[in-house]
Amino acid sequence: MFNDEIIYPFLSMLNKCPVLNTPTDWKETPESHVFVSDLPGLKNEEVKVEIVDEGKGKVLQISGERDAEKDNEISEKWHRAERCRGKFLRRFRLPENAKSDGVKASMENGVLVVTVPKQEIKKPEKRVIEVEGN
């Protein structure tokens, strides 16, 4: 039996690295769609939240970057670097009832919460047509 970490090191890294994987929960309430993303160690200004209209629907896009620490000291000697660095991007196709106006985003203790309000979708009207003839 093989160790997955040896065979699939990149997959192993994705599973362990929130900045690359950006685990996100999506729940729907009667009023909105709520997205909760774990972004440990990131500041508000390091995260970008956008609603992108792609013609065939709207997409919620969460992106950002955790910069590598600057090596100011030549005398520093690293023994281990396990905390992930780099860019991340998550995209979620929003349902038809998502309203792009009034989207709110907040972050506290490394947890981003994006709330997308819902709008009522008008159902097609049903009309009965009288059939004429003998």
Side-chain angles (χ1 to χ4, degrees), residues 13-26 35-40 42 47-48 61-66 84 86-92 107 110-112:
M13 174 78 104
L14 273 177
N15 291 333
K16 293 178 183 174
C17 188
V19 77
L20 294 175
N21 193 16
T22 316
T24 302
D25 295 336
W26 175 0
F35 298 83
V36 181
S37 297
D38 289 341
L39 301 170
L42 292 178
V47 177
K48 189 175 186 180
Q61 184 168 291
I62 302 169
S63 62
E65 181 173 8
R66 177 177 291 153
C84 297
K87 295 180 181 185
F88 65 91
L89 172 67
R90 291 298 309 270
R91 293 171 49 87
F92 302 92
M107 193 153 78
V111 178
L112 173 70

PDB file of all heavy atoms in Angstrom, residues 13-26 35-40 42 47-48 61-66 84 86-92 107 110-112:
ATOM      1  N   MET A  13      -0.918  18.672  -0.420  1.00  0.00           N
ATOM      2  CA  MET A  13      -0.715  20.079  -0.079  1.00  0.00           C
ATOM      3  C   MET A  13      -2.034  20.844  -0.144  1.00  0.00           C
ATOM      4  O   MET A  13      -2.348  21.645   0.720  1.00  0.00           O
ATOM      5  CB  MET A  13       0.299  20.711  -1.042  1.00  0.00           C
ATOM      6  CG  MET A  13       0.445  22.195  -0.853  1.00  0.00           C
ATOM      7  SD  MET A  13       1.441  22.585   0.538  1.00  0.00           S
ATOM      8  CE  MET A  13       2.905  23.045  -0.322  1.00  0.00           C
ATOM      9  N   LEU A  14      -2.864  20.574  -1.181  1.00  0.00           N
ATOM     10  CA  LEU A  14      -4.154  21.239  -1.299  1.00  0.00           C
ATOM     11  C   LEU A  14      -5.043  20.944  -0.104  1.00  0.00           C
ATOM     12  O   LEU A  14      -5.724  21.817   0.401  1.00  0.00           O
ATOM     13  CB  LEU A  14      -4.879  20.789  -2.570  1.00  0.00           C
ATOM     14  CG  LEU A  14      -4.570  21.539  -3.842  1.00  0.00           C
ATOM     15  CD1 LEU A  14      -5.324  20.918  -5.013  1.00  0.00           C
ATOM     16  CD2 LEU A  14      -4.884  22.990  -3.720  1.00  0.00           C
ATOM     17  N   ASN A  15      -5.033  19.690   0.345  1.00  0.00           N
ATOM     18  CA  ASN A  15      -5.865  19.305   1.475  1.00  0.00           C
ATOM     19  C   ASN A  15      -5.419  19.976   2.768  1.00  0.00           C
ATOM     20  O   ASN A  15      -6.221  20.218   3.644  1.00  0.00           O
ATOM     21  CB  ASN A  15      -5.862  17.785   1.652  1.00  0.00           C
ATOM     22  CG  ASN A  15      -6.591  17.100   0.518  1.00  0.00           C
ATOM     23  OD1 ASN A  15      -7.477  17.678  -0.092  1.00  0.00           O
ATOM     24  ND2 ASN A  15      -6.206  15.885   0.234  1.00  0.00           N
ATOM     25  N   LYS A  16      -4.144  20.274   2.897  1.00  0.00           N
ATOM     26  CA  LYS A  16      -3.612  20.853   4.127  1.00  0.00           C
ATOM     27  C   LYS A  16      -3.516  22.374   4.087  1.00  0.00           C
ATOM     28  O   LYS A  16      -3.275  22.988   5.105  1.00  0.00           O
ATOM     29  CB  LYS A  16      -2.216  20.289   4.403  1.00  0.00           C
ATOM     30  CG  LYS A  16      -2.208  18.833   4.742  1.00  0.00           C
ATOM     31  CD  LYS A  16      -0.796  18.359   4.945  1.00  0.00           C
ATOM     32  CE  LYS A  16      -0.761  16.869   5.229  1.00  0.00           C
ATOM     33  NZ  LYS A  16       0.602  16.373   5.278  1.00  0.00           N
ATOM     34  N   CYS A  17      -3.649  22.975   2.928  1.00  0.00           N
ATOM     35  CA  CYS A  17      -3.347  24.391   2.769  1.00  0.00           C
ATOM     36  C   CYS A  17      -4.604  25.219   2.496  1.00  0.00           C
ATOM     37  O   CYS A  17      -5.057  25.290   1.361  1.00  0.00           O
ATOM     38  CB  CYS A  17      -2.346  24.575   1.632  1.00  0.00           C
ATOM     39  SG  CYS A  17      -1.772  26.260   1.531  1.00  0.00           S
ATOM     40  N   PRO A  18      -5.149  25.876   3.508  1.00  0.00           N
ATOM     41  CA  PRO A  18      -6.378  26.654   3.310  1.00  0.00           C
ATOM     42  C   PRO A  18      -6.235  27.783   2.298  1.00  0.00           C
ATOM     43  O   PRO A  18      -7.175  28.105   1.607  1.00  0.00           O
ATOM     44  CB  PRO A  18      -6.685  27.221   4.693  1.00  0.00           C
ATOM     45  CG  PRO A  18      -5.936  26.378   5.641  1.00  0.00           C
ATOM     46  CD  PRO A  18      -4.744  25.850   4.893  1.00  0.00           C
ATOM     47  N   VAL A  19      -5.047  28.387   2.189  1.00  0.00           N
ATOM     48  CA  VAL A  19      -4.911  29.497   1.251  1.00  0.00           C
ATOM     49  C   VAL A  19      -4.999  29.006  -0.189  1.00  0.00           C
ATOM     50  O   VAL A  19      -5.426  29.730  -1.077  1.00  0.00           O
ATOM     51  CB  VAL A  19      -3.626  30.313   1.506  1.00  0.00           C
ATOM     52  CG1 VAL A  19      -2.411  29.601   0.984  1.00  0.00           C
ATOM     53  CG2 VAL A  19      -3.727  31.701   0.903  1.00  0.00           C
ATOM     54  N   LEU A  20      -4.639  27.765  -0.458  1.00  0.00           N
ATOM     55  CA  LEU A  20      -4.782  27.209  -1.806  1.00  0.00           C
ATOM     56  C   LEU A  20      -6.174  26.618  -2.007  1.00  0.00           C
ATOM     57  O   LEU A  20      -6.776  26.755  -3.055  1.00  0.00           O
ATOM     58  CB  LEU A  20      -3.725  26.122  -2.050  1.00  0.00           C
ATOM     59  CG  LEU A  20      -2.277  26.588  -2.079  1.00  0.00           C
ATOM     60  CD1 LEU A  20      -1.351  25.391  -2.216  1.00  0.00           C
ATOM     61  CD2 LEU A  20      -2.038  27.562  -3.210  1.00  0.00           C
ATOM     62  N   ASN A  21      -6.685  25.946  -1.008  1.00  0.00           N
ATOM     63  CA  ASN A  21      -7.958  25.255  -1.107  1.00  0.00           C
ATOM     64  C   ASN A  21      -9.134  26.172  -0.759  1.00  0.00           C
ATOM     65  O   ASN A  21     -10.207  26.031  -1.290  1.00  0.00           O
ATOM     66  CB  ASN A  21      -7.941  24.036  -0.174  1.00  0.00           C
ATOM     67  CG  ASN A  21      -9.075  23.099  -0.424  1.00  0.00           C
ATOM     68  OD1 ASN A  21      -9.731  23.147  -1.448  1.00  0.00           O
ATOM     69  ND2 ASN A  21      -9.321  22.231   0.524  1.00  0.00           N
ATOM     70  N   THR A  22      -8.953  27.118   0.155  1.00  0.00           N
ATOM     71  CA  THR A  22      -9.966  28.057   0.620  1.00  0.00           C
ATOM     72  C   THR A  22     -11.300  27.365   0.891  1.00  0.00           C
ATOM     73  O   THR A  22     -12.256  27.506   0.135  1.00  0.00           O
ATOM     74  CB  THR A  22     -10.179  29.205  -0.389  1.00  0.00           C
ATOM     75  OG1 THR A  22      -8.915  29.668  -0.842  1.00  0.00           O
ATOM     76  CG2 THR A  22     -10.927  30.356   0.246  1.00  0.00           C
ATOM     77  N   PRO A  23     -11.365  26.569   1.944  1.00  0.00           N
ATOM     78  CA  PRO A  23     -12.619  25.878   2.253  1.00  0.00           C
ATOM     79  C   PRO A  23     -13.755  26.880   2.469  1.00  0.00           C
ATOM     80  O   PRO A  23     -13.589  27.869   3.176  1.00  0.00           O
ATOM     81  CB  PRO A  23     -12.316  25.106   3.539  1.00  0.00           C
ATOM     82  CG  PRO A  23     -10.988  25.556   4.004  1.00  0.00           C
ATOM     83  CD  PRO A  23     -10.338  26.346   2.931  1.00  0.00           C
ATOM     84  N   THR A  24     -14.876  26.621   1.805  1.00  0.00           N
ATOM     85  CA  THR A  24     -16.012  27.546   1.842  1.00  0.00           C
ATOM     86  C   THR A  24     -17.310  26.769   2.012  1.00  0.00           C
ATOM     87  O   THR A  24     -17.544  25.789   1.313  1.00  0.00           O
ATOM     88  CB  THR A  24     -16.068  28.377   0.546  1.00  0.00           C
ATOM     89  OG1 THR A  24     -14.835  29.093   0.399  1.00  0.00           O
ATOM     90  CG2 THR A  24     -17.208  29.372   0.564  1.00  0.00           C
ATOM     91  N   ASP A  25     -18.130  27.229   2.944  1.00  0.00           N
ATOM     92  CA  ASP A  25     -19.480  26.690   3.129  1.00  0.00           C
ATOM     93  C   ASP A  25     -20.457  27.616   2.407  1.00  0.00           C
ATOM     94  O   ASP A  25     -20.272  28.832   2.387  1.00  0.00           O
ATOM     95  CB  ASP A  25     -19.858  26.645   4.613  1.00  0.00           C
ATOM     96  CG  ASP A  25     -19.006  25.679   5.402  1.00  0.00           C
ATOM     97  OD1 ASP A  25     -18.453  24.738   4.807  1.00  0.00           O
ATOM     98  OD2 ASP A  25     -18.894  25.871   6.633  1.00  0.00           O
ATOM     99  N   TRP A  26     -21.526  27.047   1.840  1.00  0.00           N
ATOM    100  CA  TRP A  26     -22.576  27.834   1.183  1.00  0.00           C
ATOM    101  C   TRP A  26     -23.898  27.334   1.722  1.00  0.00           C
ATOM    102  O   TRP A  26     -24.251  26.171   1.559  1.00  0.00           O
ATOM    103  CB  TRP A  26     -22.485  27.655  -0.319  1.00  0.00           C
ATOM    104  CG  TRP A  26     -23.560  28.305  -1.145  1.00  0.00           C
ATOM    105  CD1 TRP A  26     -24.633  29.047  -0.714  1.00  0.00           C
ATOM    106  CD2 TRP A  26     -23.660  28.281  -2.568  1.00  0.00           C
ATOM    107  NE1 TRP A  26     -25.377  29.473  -1.777  1.00  0.00           N
ATOM    108  CE2 TRP A  26     -24.815  29.027  -2.927  1.00  0.00           C
ATOM    109  CE3 TRP A  26     -22.898  27.704  -3.575  1.00  0.00           C
ATOM    110  CZ2 TRP A  26     -25.211  29.199  -4.248  1.00  0.00           C
ATOM    111  CZ3 TRP A  26     -23.291  27.876  -4.892  1.00  0.00           C
ATOM    112  CH2 TRP A  26     -24.431  28.620  -5.224  1.00  0.00           C
ATOM    113  N   PHE A  35     -22.103  32.684   2.205  1.00  0.00           N
ATOM    114  CA  PHE A  35     -20.841  31.988   1.941  1.00  0.00           C
ATOM    115  C   PHE A  35     -19.889  32.287   3.098  1.00  0.00           C
ATOM    116  O   PHE A  35     -19.694  33.454   3.449  1.00  0.00           O
ATOM    117  CB  PHE A  35     -20.226  32.471   0.631  1.00  0.00           C
ATOM    118  CG  PHE A  35     -21.092  32.206  -0.567  1.00  0.00           C
ATOM    119  CD1 PHE A  35     -22.132  33.065  -0.903  1.00  0.00           C
ATOM    120  CD2 PHE A  35     -20.881  31.087  -1.350  1.00  0.00           C
ATOM    121  CE1 PHE A  35     -22.935  32.819  -2.002  1.00  0.00           C
ATOM    122  CE2 PHE A  35     -21.680  30.831  -2.458  1.00  0.00           C
ATOM    123  CZ  PHE A  35     -22.709  31.698  -2.779  1.00  0.00           C
ATOM    124  N   VAL A  36     -19.300  31.245   3.673  1.00  0.00           N
ATOM    125  CA  VAL A  36     -18.367  31.400   4.790  1.00  0.00           C
ATOM    126  C   VAL A  36     -17.053  30.726   4.391  1.00  0.00           C
ATOM    127  O   VAL A  36     -17.019  29.523   4.137  1.00  0.00           O
ATOM    128  CB  VAL A  36     -18.930  30.771   6.085  1.00  0.00           C
ATOM    129  CG1 VAL A  36     -17.969  30.959   7.238  1.00  0.00           C
ATOM    130  CG2 VAL A  36     -20.300  31.358   6.422  1.00  0.00           C
ATOM    131  N   SER A  37     -15.973  31.529   4.312  1.00  0.00           N
ATOM    132  CA  SER A  37     -14.663  31.029   3.881  1.00  0.00           C
ATOM    133  C   SER A  37     -13.644  31.177   4.991  1.00  0.00           C
ATOM    134  O   SER A  37     -13.571  32.221   5.640  1.00  0.00           O
ATOM    135  CB  SER A  37     -14.158  31.822   2.667  1.00  0.00           C
ATOM    136  OG  SER A  37     -15.004  31.642   1.576  1.00  0.00           O
ATOM    137  N   ASP A  38     -12.837  30.138   5.186  1.00  0.00           N
ATOM    138  CA  ASP A  38     -11.737  30.195   6.151  1.00  0.00           C
ATOM    139  C   ASP A  38     -10.507  30.773   5.460  1.00  0.00           C
ATOM    140  O   ASP A  38      -9.997  30.194   4.501  1.00  0.00           O
ATOM    141  CB  ASP A  38     -11.413  28.796   6.682  1.00  0.00           C
ATOM    142  CG  ASP A  38     -12.495  28.267   7.605  1.00  0.00           C
ATOM    143  OD1 ASP A  38     -13.288  29.077   8.123  1.00  0.00           O
ATOM    144  OD2 ASP A  38     -12.537  27.045   7.811  1.00  0.00           O
ATOM    145  N   LEU A  39     -10.040  31.910   5.956  1.00  0.00           N
ATOM    146  CA  LEU A  39      -8.863  32.580   5.411  1.00  0.00           C
ATOM    147  C   LEU A  39      -7.937  32.982   6.546  1.00  0.00           C
ATOM    148  O   LEU A  39      -7.733  34.168   6.814  1.00  0.00           O
ATOM    149  CB  LEU A  39      -9.289  33.815   4.597  1.00  0.00           C
ATOM    150  CG  LEU A  39     -10.231  33.535   3.431  1.00  0.00           C
ATOM    151  CD1 LEU A  39     -10.788  34.816   2.858  1.00  0.00           C
ATOM    152  CD2 LEU A  39      -9.512  32.741   2.359  1.00  0.00           C
ATOM    153  N   PRO A  40      -7.365  32.001   7.249  1.00  0.00           N
ATOM    154  CA  PRO A  40      -6.571  32.315   8.438  1.00  0.00           C
ATOM    155  C   PRO A  40      -5.373  33.201   8.123  1.00  0.00           C
ATOM    156  O   PRO A  40      -4.676  33.000   7.133  1.00  0.00           O
ATOM    157  CB  PRO A  40      -6.121  30.941   8.941  1.00  0.00           C
ATOM    158  CG  PRO A  40      -6.246  30.032   7.778  1.00  0.00           C
ATOM    159  CD  PRO A  40      -7.341  30.584   6.922  1.00  0.00           C
ATOM    160  N   LEU A  42      -5.224  36.219   7.055  1.00  0.00           N
ATOM    161  CA  LEU A  42      -5.367  37.272   6.049  1.00  0.00           C
ATOM    162  C   LEU A  42      -6.104  38.474   6.619  1.00  0.00           C
ATOM    163  O   LEU A  42      -6.958  38.346   7.482  1.00  0.00           O
ATOM    164  CB  LEU A  42      -6.102  36.754   4.814  1.00  0.00           C
ATOM    165  CG  LEU A  42      -5.359  35.719   3.984  1.00  0.00           C
ATOM    166  CD1 LEU A  42      -6.221  35.261   2.815  1.00  0.00           C
ATOM    167  CD2 LEU A  42      -4.049  36.267   3.471  1.00  0.00           C
ATOM    168  N   VAL A  47      -8.039  40.472   0.679  1.00  0.00           N
ATOM    169  CA  VAL A  47      -9.124  39.652   0.130  1.00  0.00           C
ATOM    170  C   VAL A  47      -9.987  40.518  -0.783  1.00  0.00           C
ATOM    171  O   VAL A  47     -10.288  41.667  -0.462  1.00  0.00           O
ATOM    172  CB  VAL A  47      -9.987  39.058   1.266  1.00  0.00           C
ATOM    173  CG1 VAL A  47     -11.156  38.266   0.717  1.00  0.00           C
ATOM    174  CG2 VAL A  47      -9.143  38.202   2.186  1.00  0.00           C
ATOM    175  N   LYS A  48     -10.378  39.956  -1.919  1.00  0.00           N
ATOM    176  CA  LYS A  48     -11.218  40.665  -2.879  1.00  0.00           C
ATOM    177  C   LYS A  48     -12.483  39.842  -3.116  1.00  0.00           C
ATOM    178  O   LYS A  48     -12.400  38.644  -3.408  1.00  0.00           O
ATOM    179  CB  LYS A  48     -10.441  40.845  -4.178  1.00  0.00           C
ATOM    180  CG  LYS A  48     -11.092  41.731  -5.200  1.00  0.00           C
ATOM    181  CD  LYS A  48     -10.128  41.898  -6.374  1.00  0.00           C
ATOM    182  CE  LYS A  48     -10.640  42.882  -7.381  1.00  0.00           C
ATOM    183  NZ  LYS A  48      -9.700  43.038  -8.493  1.00  0.00           N
ATOM    184  N   GLN A  61     -17.025  35.720  -6.849  1.00  0.00           N
ATOM    185  CA  GLN A  61     -15.600  35.408  -6.952  1.00  0.00           C
ATOM    186  C   GLN A  61     -14.892  35.932  -5.705  1.00  0.00           C
ATOM    187  O   GLN A  61     -14.982  37.110  -5.384  1.00  0.00           O
ATOM    188  CB  GLN A  61     -15.035  36.063  -8.217  1.00  0.00           C
ATOM    189  CG  GLN A  61     -13.603  35.745  -8.486  1.00  0.00           C
ATOM    190  CD  GLN A  61     -13.210  36.171  -9.885  1.00  0.00           C
ATOM    191  OE1 GLN A  61     -13.662  35.585 -10.857  1.00  0.00           O
ATOM    192  NE2 GLN A  61     -12.378  37.189  -9.982  1.00  0.00           N
ATOM    193  N   ILE A  62     -14.196  35.031  -5.008  1.00  0.00           N
ATOM    194  CA  ILE A  62     -13.419  35.372  -3.816  1.00  0.00           C
ATOM    195  C   ILE A  62     -11.962  35.085  -4.150  1.00  0.00           C
ATOM    196  O   ILE A  62     -11.619  33.966  -4.532  1.00  0.00           O
ATOM    197  CB  ILE A  62     -13.877  34.543  -2.595  1.00  0.00           C
ATOM    198  CG1 ILE A  62     -15.367  34.773  -2.316  1.00  0.00           C
ATOM    199  CG2 ILE A  62     -13.023  34.870  -1.380  1.00  0.00           C
ATOM    200  CD1 ILE A  62     -15.963  33.821  -1.309  1.00  0.00           C
ATOM    201  N   SER A  63     -11.105  36.101  -4.014  1.00  0.00           N
ATOM    202  CA  SER A  63      -9.702  35.915  -4.367  1.00  0.00           C
ATOM    203  C   SER A  63      -8.816  36.703  -3.415  1.00  0.00           C
ATOM    204  O   SER A  63      -9.288  37.538  -2.644  1.00  0.00           O
ATOM    205  CB  SER A  63      -9.447  36.363  -5.813  1.00  0.00           C
ATOM    206  OG  SER A  63      -9.738  37.739  -5.958  1.00  0.00           O
ATOM    207  N   GLY A  64      -7.535  36.431  -3.493  1.00  0.00           N
ATOM    208  CA  GLY A  64      -6.575  37.154  -2.670  1.00  0.00           C
ATOM    209  C   GLY A  64      -5.222  36.505  -2.734  1.00  0.00           C
ATOM    210  O   GLY A  64      -4.964  35.618  -3.551  1.00  0.00           O
ATOM    211  N   GLU A  65      -4.357  36.977  -1.838  1.00  0.00           N
ATOM    212  CA  GLU A  65      -2.998  36.447  -1.827  1.00  0.00           C
ATOM    213  C   GLU A  65      -2.402  36.606  -0.439  1.00  0.00           C
ATOM    214  O   GLU A  65      -2.562  37.628   0.210  1.00  0.00           O
ATOM    215  CB  GLU A  65      -2.136  37.202  -2.839  1.00  0.00           C
ATOM    216  CG  GLU A  65      -0.726  36.699  -2.915  1.00  0.00           C
ATOM    217  CD  GLU A  65       0.066  37.342  -4.049  1.00  0.00           C
ATOM    218  OE1 GLU A  65      -0.430  38.281  -4.691  1.00  0.00           O
ATOM    219  OE2 GLU A  65       1.193  36.879  -4.282  1.00  0.00           O
ATOM    220  N   ARG A  66      -1.731  35.560  -0.030  1.00  0.00           N
ATOM    221  CA  ARG A  66      -0.929  35.626   1.189  1.00  0.00           C
ATOM    222  C   ARG A  66       0.518  35.731   0.740  1.00  0.00           C
ATOM    223  O   ARG A  66       1.058  34.810   0.137  1.00  0.00           O
ATOM    224  CB  ARG A  66      -1.122  34.394   2.061  1.00  0.00           C
ATOM    225  CG  ARG A  66      -0.219  34.429   3.291  1.00  0.00           C
ATOM    226  CD  ARG A  66      -0.423  33.269   4.200  1.00  0.00           C
ATOM    227  NE  ARG A  66      -1.739  33.400   4.810  1.00  0.00           N
ATOM    228  CZ  ARG A  66      -2.455  32.378   5.236  1.00  0.00           C
ATOM    229  NH1 ARG A  66      -2.011  31.156   5.089  1.00  0.00           N
ATOM    230  NH2 ARG A  66      -3.615  32.558   5.783  1.00  0.00           N
ATOM    231  N   CYS A  84       1.274  27.871   4.094  1.00  0.00           N
ATOM    232  CA  CYS A  84       1.124  28.098   2.653  1.00  0.00           C
ATOM    233  C   CYS A  84       1.091  29.580   2.318  1.00  0.00           C
ATOM    234  O   CYS A  84       0.567  30.392   3.060  1.00  0.00           O
ATOM    235  CB  CYS A  84      -0.160  27.444   2.165  1.00  0.00           C
ATOM    236  SG  CYS A  84      -0.123  25.669   2.368  1.00  0.00           S
ATOM    237  N   GLY A  86       0.746  32.323  -1.294  1.00  0.00           N
ATOM    238  CA  GLY A  86       0.360  32.381  -2.691  1.00  0.00           C
ATOM    239  C   GLY A  86      -1.047  32.909  -2.898  1.00  0.00           C
ATOM    240  O   GLY A  86      -1.720  33.344  -1.972  1.00  0.00           O
ATOM    241  N   LYS A  87      -1.475  32.854  -4.150  1.00  0.00           N
ATOM    242  CA  LYS A  87      -2.780  33.370  -4.552  1.00  0.00           C
ATOM    243  C   LYS A  87      -3.842  32.276  -4.428  1.00  0.00           C
ATOM    244  O   LYS A  87      -3.536  31.104  -4.505  1.00  0.00           O
ATOM    245  CB  LYS A  87      -2.724  33.848  -6.004  1.00  0.00           C
ATOM    246  CG  LYS A  87      -1.807  35.020  -6.201  1.00  0.00           C
ATOM    247  CD  LYS A  87      -1.795  35.443  -7.650  1.00  0.00           C
ATOM    248  CE  LYS A  87      -0.831  36.617  -7.796  1.00  0.00           C
ATOM    249  NZ  LYS A  87      -0.860  37.166  -9.143  1.00  0.00           N
ATOM    250  N   PHE A  88      -5.073  32.729  -4.250  1.00  0.00           N
ATOM    251  CA  PHE A  88      -6.194  31.793  -4.262  1.00  0.00           C
ATOM    252  C   PHE A  88      -7.346  32.429  -5.017  1.00  0.00           C
ATOM    253  O   PHE A  88      -7.433  33.654  -5.143  1.00  0.00           O
ATOM    254  CB  PHE A  88      -6.625  31.394  -2.842  1.00  0.00           C
ATOM    255  CG  PHE A  88      -7.170  32.536  -2.035  1.00  0.00           C
ATOM    256  CD1 PHE A  88      -8.529  32.817  -2.038  1.00  0.00           C
ATOM    257  CD2 PHE A  88      -6.332  33.328  -1.266  1.00  0.00           C
ATOM    258  CE1 PHE A  88      -9.041  33.868  -1.299  1.00  0.00           C
ATOM    259  CE2 PHE A  88      -6.834  34.376  -0.527  1.00  0.00           C
ATOM    260  CZ  PHE A  88      -8.193  34.647  -0.547  1.00  0.00           C
ATOM    261  N   LEU A  89      -8.222  31.594  -5.537  1.00  0.00           N
ATOM    262  CA  LEU A  89      -9.406  32.050  -6.268  1.00  0.00           C
ATOM    263  C   LEU A  89     -10.486  30.994  -6.135  1.00  0.00           C
ATOM    264  O   LEU A  89     -10.256  29.826  -6.446  1.00  0.00           O
ATOM    265  CB  LEU A  89      -9.077  32.257  -7.749  1.00  0.00           C
ATOM    266  CG  LEU A  89     -10.266  32.558  -8.674  1.00  0.00           C
ATOM    267  CD1 LEU A  89     -10.865  33.915  -8.363  1.00  0.00           C
ATOM    268  CD2 LEU A  89      -9.830  32.497 -10.123  1.00  0.00           C
ATOM    269  N   ARG A  90     -11.643  31.401  -5.645  1.00  0.00           N
ATOM    270  CA  ARG A  90     -12.813  30.513  -5.602  1.00  0.00           C
ATOM    271  C   ARG A  90     -13.936  31.206  -6.352  1.00  0.00           C
ATOM    272  O   ARG A  90     -14.136  32.408  -6.222  1.00  0.00           O
ATOM    273  CB  ARG A  90     -13.261  30.256  -4.146  1.00  0.00           C
ATOM    274  CG  ARG A  90     -12.320  29.436  -3.316  1.00  0.00           C
ATOM    275  CD  ARG A  90     -12.098  28.020  -3.829  1.00  0.00           C
ATOM    276  NE  ARG A  90     -13.287  27.244  -4.109  1.00  0.00           N
ATOM    277  CZ  ARG A  90     -13.921  26.458  -3.243  1.00  0.00           C
ATOM    278  NH1 ARG A  90     -13.453  26.321  -2.016  1.00  0.00           N
ATOM    279  NH2 ARG A  90     -14.986  25.787  -3.602  1.00  0.00           N
ATOM    280  N   ARG A  91     -14.678  30.430  -7.139  1.00  0.00           N
ATOM    281  CA  ARG A  91     -15.793  30.965  -7.925  1.00  0.00           C
ATOM    282  C   ARG A  91     -17.031  30.107  -7.693  1.00  0.00           C
ATOM    283  O   ARG A  91     -16.941  28.883  -7.692  1.00  0.00           O
ATOM    284  CB  ARG A  91     -15.431  30.970  -9.410  1.00  0.00           C
ATOM    285  CG  ARG A  91     -14.317  31.951  -9.742  1.00  0.00           C
ATOM    286  CD  ARG A  91     -13.795  31.807 -11.161  1.00  0.00           C
ATOM    287  NE  ARG A  91     -14.812  31.772 -12.193  1.00  0.00           N
ATOM    288  CZ  ARG A  91     -15.346  32.847 -12.786  1.00  0.00           C
ATOM    289  NH1 ARG A  91     -14.957  34.042 -12.444  1.00  0.00           N
ATOM    290  NH2 ARG A  91     -16.256  32.711 -13.719  1.00  0.00           N
ATOM    291  N   PHE A  92     -18.178  30.779  -7.502  1.00  0.00           N
ATOM    292  CA  PHE A  92     -19.446  30.095  -7.269  1.00  0.00           C
ATOM    293  C   PHE A  92     -20.494  30.691  -8.206  1.00  0.00           C
ATOM    294  O   PHE A  92     -20.767  31.889  -8.146  1.00  0.00           O
ATOM    295  CB  PHE A  92     -19.900  30.268  -5.815  1.00  0.00           C
ATOM    296  CG  PHE A  92     -18.903  29.754  -4.818  1.00  0.00           C
ATOM    297  CD1 PHE A  92     -17.943  30.602  -4.282  1.00  0.00           C
ATOM    298  CD2 PHE A  92     -18.915  28.425  -4.430  1.00  0.00           C
ATOM    299  CE1 PHE A  92     -17.011  30.138  -3.369  1.00  0.00           C
ATOM    300  CE2 PHE A  92     -17.979  27.947  -3.518  1.00  0.00           C
ATOM    301  CZ  PHE A  92     -17.035  28.814  -2.995  1.00  0.00           C
ATOM    302  N   MET A 107     -15.234  40.306   7.566  1.00  0.00           N
ATOM    303  CA  MET A 107     -14.238  39.320   7.970  1.00  0.00           C
ATOM    304  C   MET A 107     -13.846  39.571   9.415  1.00  0.00           C
ATOM    305  O   MET A 107     -13.589  40.700   9.819  1.00  0.00           O
ATOM    306  CB  MET A 107     -13.000  39.382   7.073  1.00  0.00           C
ATOM    307  CG  MET A 107     -12.108  38.180   7.284  1.00  0.00           C
ATOM    308  SD  MET A 107     -11.116  37.729   5.860  1.00  0.00           S
ATOM    309  CE  MET A 107      -9.823  38.925   5.955  1.00  0.00           C
ATOM    310  N   GLY A 110     -10.172  35.828  10.641  1.00  0.00           N
ATOM    311  CA  GLY A 110      -9.814  34.982   9.510  1.00  0.00           C
ATOM    312  C   GLY A 110     -10.971  34.252   8.868  1.00  0.00           C
ATOM    313  O   GLY A 110     -10.763  33.354   8.056  1.00  0.00           O
ATOM    314  N   VAL A 111     -12.203  34.628   9.189  1.00  0.00           N
ATOM    315  CA  VAL A 111     -13.382  34.009   8.586  1.00  0.00           C
ATOM    316  C   VAL A 111     -14.141  35.070   7.801  1.00  0.00           C
ATOM    317  O   VAL A 111     -14.585  36.076   8.363  1.00  0.00           O
ATOM    318  CB  VAL A 111     -14.300  33.372   9.657  1.00  0.00           C
ATOM    319  CG1 VAL A 111     -15.553  32.781   9.008  1.00  0.00           C
ATOM    320  CG2 VAL A 111     -13.559  32.308  10.439  1.00  0.00           C
ATOM    321  N   LEU A 112     -14.246  34.854   6.493  1.00  0.00           N
ATOM    322  CA  LEU A 112     -14.956  35.768   5.603  1.00  0.00           C
ATOM    323  C   LEU A 112     -16.396  35.301   5.472  1.00  0.00           C
ATOM    324  O   LEU A 112     -16.651  34.118   5.222  1.00  0.00           O
ATOM    325  CB  LEU A 112     -14.292  35.774   4.222  1.00  0.00           C
ATOM    326  CG  LEU A 112     -15.006  36.559   3.128  1.00  0.00           C
ATOM    327  CD1 LEU A 112     -14.931  38.054   3.387  1.00  0.00           C
ATOM    328  CD2 LEU A 112     -14.417  36.214   1.764  1.00  0.00           C
TER     329      LEU A 112
END
